[in-house]
Amino acid sequence: MTIHIEDLKFQCIIGILDFERTTPQDVIINLAIEYDYQKKFINYADVVEIVKNMMKKSEFLLIEDALENINLKLIKEFNTIKSIHLKITKPSILEGCKVSVSNYYKTKS
């Protein structure tokens, strides 16, 4: 099974520029979680809450750090996950474009 969470939008502190450390900005999260469904499901509302809480509380400097930390947290919380594709977008950091970084994480099992 694969859970898709698309265009999850909220504001948080993320980035290394001075104004990014003081002013929350929009981020958009897109996430696909492949998992082993055997009478046990992954609650997508829980996934959304984990992602939002981590992004808001951690105030990451780099999108890359956010990606790695969120992946690790989700793998720890849900042991049936086989892979995660996570993309974090900063839609208004540069004029005329959206900037994103993505990561594909596959568990060893």
Side-chain angles (χ1 to χ4, degrees), residues 50 54 65-78 81 84 86 105:
I50 288 168
M54 284 193 71
D65 291 335
L67 289 167
E68 289 203 2
N69 282 277
I70 291 168
N71 279 334
L72 292 173
K73 175 71 170 172
L74 292 174
I75 294 293
K76 183 178 178 185
E77 290 291 318
F78 307 104
I81 290 177
I84 300 173
L86 176 59
Y105 184 84

Side-chain angles (χ1 to χ4, degrees), residues 46-83:
D46 292 342
V47 172
V48 167
E49 202 59 33
I50 288 168
V51 170
K52 285 176 75 172
N53 284 339
M54 284 193 71
M55 291 289 292
K56 288 181 177 188
K57 289 180 181 177
S58 297
E59 297 186 355
F60 293 104
L61 292 170
L62 298 172
I63 295 175
E64 292 84 349
D65 291 335
L67 289 167
E68 289 203 2
N69 282 277
I70 291 168
N71 279 334
L72 292 173
K73 175 71 170 172
L74 292 174
I75 294 293
K76 183 178 178 185
E77 290 291 318
F78 307 104
N79 62 3
T80 58
I81 290 177
K82 295 164 81 175
S83 68

Side-chain angles (χ1 to χ4, degrees), residues 35-53:
Y35 70 103
D36 206 5
Y37 173 72
Q38 296 181 0
K39 308 256 192 262
K40 191 172 182 186
F41 71 99
I42 293 176
N43 185 334
Y44 50 80
D46 292 342
V47 172
V48 167
E49 202 59 33
I50 288 168
V51 170
K52 285 176 75 172
N53 284 339

Side-chain angles (χ1 to χ4, degrees), residues 14-27:
I14 186 168
I16 58 173
L17 301 175
D18 288 342
F19 74 90
E20 291 181 298
R21 303 309 306 155
T22 58
T23 306
Q25 64 181 297
D26 288 337
V27 293

